[in-house]
Amino acid sequence: MPLLQFNLVKDAWTPADVQEILDTAYDVTLSIFHAPQGDRYQTVSYFTPENLIMKDTGLGFERSNKRILLNIRTRPRTKDEKVAFYQQLFEQLHARFNLSAHDLMVNMVENSDADWSFDGGKAQFLTGDL
């Protein structure tokens, strides 16, 4: 049940492109994290180029307006799962959009089952409903 929050530059991607980005990330989530079908939670926020600041952390490169900042909230994942997720997501986005390596940044924040309520103010993981 990862929650994927995409931050994009407004008008840099077509609506069809955005849908393909979301579908691609969902497929990678299923593949790498073994999430069940239908376990899909994604949001997209748009920013002006000036309001989506993604510097290079001193690595010496520049990013284009096609930059994607992806925040993921998820259960704890192994180092291998994280590395595989980052790599597979980039490879697929690069193949589909020729996305530059510099234009994808991913931040993963871990949480636990107790941090989720899916409806009705219930903690379904804690009550055994899930």
Side-chain angles (χ1 to χ4, degrees):
M1 92 238 108
L3 169 60
L4 284 70
Q5 300 171 300
F6 294 83
N7 300 283
L8 307 173
V9 173
K10 184 177 171 75
D11 299 325
W13 299 95
T14 68
D17 289 343
V18 172
Q19 187 60 56
E20 190 168 349
I21 291 167
L22 297 178
D23 292 345
T24 299
Y26 177 62
D27 291 343
V28 173
T29 300
L30 293 174
S31 171
I32 301 298
F33 295 156
H34 309 290
Q37 284 287 337
D39 198 26
R40 186 171 181 169
Y41 306 97
Q42 298 172 314
T43 64
V44 179
S45 298
Y46 296 97
F47 300 89
T48 63
E50 301 80 24
N51 289 325
L52 183 56
I53 300 169
M54 294 169 54
K55 297 295 183 182
D56 67 355
T57 314
L59 295 171
F61 59 80
E62 293 195 21
R63 302 182 199 266
S64 77
N65 279 346
K66 295 282 188 176
R67 61 189 175 269
I68 299 170
L69 174 57
L70 173 56
N71 299 308
I72 303 174
R73 287 176 172 67
T74 184
R75 290 177 166 153
R77 304 293 174 180
T78 67
K79 176 183 173 183
D80 289 343
E81 287 176 315
K82 290 177 184 183
V83 169
F85 181 90
Y86 302 146
Q87 187 65 41
Q88 188 172 336
L89 180 62
F90 170 70
E91 287 173 358
Q92 290 192 26
L93 292 175
H94 177 72
R96 287 175 170 86
F97 301 106
N98 197 30
L99 186 74
S100 166
H102 306 313
D103 282 337
L104 179 63
M105 182 174 165
V106 181
N107 171 256
M108 201 171 297
V109 177
E110 295 180 347
N111 58 33
S112 72
D113 290 350
D115 298 313
W116 293 87
S117 171
F118 294 94
D119 77 297
K122 299 175 187 169
Q124 286 85 355
F125 283 121
L126 300 179
T127 63
D129 292 332
L130 283 176

